Amino acid sequence: FVTKNTEVTYPDGKVWIPEGFRISTDSASTVQGGVVIEDKDLNQFVWVPVATLADYKRMAYSYNVATEETDTATNSIKIEYSSSDSNYFTEALPEDEKTSVERYKGFYIGRYEAGDKENTEAKTLRSSNDVTKTVTIKANQAPYNYVTRTQAVSLAEGFSTKQGYKAKTKLVSSYAWDTTIAFLQKVNSDYGERSEGNYREIAFSYTDITGASQTKSSSSSVLIPTGQTTPVCNIYDMGGNVFELTNESYSNTIGPYAIRGGHYYNNYANAPAGNRSYDSDAANVNNGFRLTLFM
């Protein structure tokens, strides 16, 4: 584990390792492959490089085609739907993210959706809005769903304190989410529009929360533990499994919070990783979250 923020050079770029972390043994050997770091409890993050601040940006995805539709005056993104309804999602660039990204030329995103340590150890998925559980960022965890956006913000921001980081953890912003998709699309060009992951119509084999091997058939819906589907650049499940709450807002009092990606009974073409939806601050089985880390 490094004792101070440390720059490491790879064949295709540079990465900063935060104090208290080390490079994981299953990290890629290139930046584009996905450099994985881990803390003392083996929670893992993946480095997303950002060449210039202009590259740390939000994107709009409409009908599986990425279009840049950002209104800089209002920090809003306009999404056009088939009903001709115009919906606005907004988020100002957070100052702490701006400062960190400018200095370090990148940031970290959770390798996995947030997990629930205690439920995982009990070999059961979450079934209630109990936010006293310990957040994990590991494979084979019960997804930390049944959480409100307000609670997800608190859990994400409190994670760094509980772990003793000098770096800051946050709920993923729309800037971090869309910049990560751009990073993944360098390997999988249509990741924002047609994500692999746990969707209703995709069949795959997986290990359930009890450790048993299972086969999911097509046209079936089942919530699975974190990290069971194929990663891109060492990052898992940005499309499918659970919707992911973000710091982005939506201009509707009924559903003022933005959620990204899709979930396990969505069709992947209708709710890929680039998808924006909206929700109230209710806790339910579909909604989970992901952390980011900034030095």
Side-chain angles (χ1 to χ4, degrees), residues 10-13 15 27-36 46-47 183 233-234:
Y10 284 83
D12 58 343
V15 171
S27 172
S29 58
T30 62
V31 174
Q32 189 61 63
V35 174
V36 181
V46 175
W47 176 256
F183 173 62
C233 305
N234 265 326

Side-chain angles (χ1 to χ4, degrees), residues 58-71 74-91 174 177-178 181 192 248-251 257-261 270-278:
R58 303 162 71 225
M59 291 288 292
Y61 295 82
S62 178
Y63 283 112
N64 301 336
V65 177
T67 56
E68 203 155 356
E69 295 280 354
T70 303
D71 182 341
T74 61
N75 289 309
S76 66
I77 283 183
K78 181 180 180 181
I79 311 292
E80 294 288 352
Y81 292 100
S82 59
S83 62
S84 297
D85 180 27
S86 295
N87 301 277
Y88 289 90
F89 296 84
T90 61
E91 185 180 8
S174 57
W177 185 273
D178 291 334
I181 290 179
E248 193 172 43
S249 298
Y250 176 70
S251 59
Y257 301 118
I259 48 180
R260 302 300 302 271
N270 294 334
N275 175 58
R276 277 178 168 84
S277 301
Y278 55 89

Side-chain angles (χ1 to χ4, degrees), residues 163-183:
Q163 293 299 119
Y165 299 168
K166 286 196 173 179
K168 175 184 290 187
T169 52
K170 301 179 64 180
L171 182 67
V172 66
S173 68
S174 57
Y175 292 85
W177 185 273
D178 291 334
T179 302
T180 300
I181 290 179
F183 173 62

Side-chain angles (χ1 to χ4, degrees), residues 243-257:
F243 276 136
E244 298 194 25
L245 296 155
T246 72
N247 275 321
E248 193 172 43
S249 298
Y250 176 70
S251 59
N252 185 314
T253 56
I254 296 174
Y257 301 118

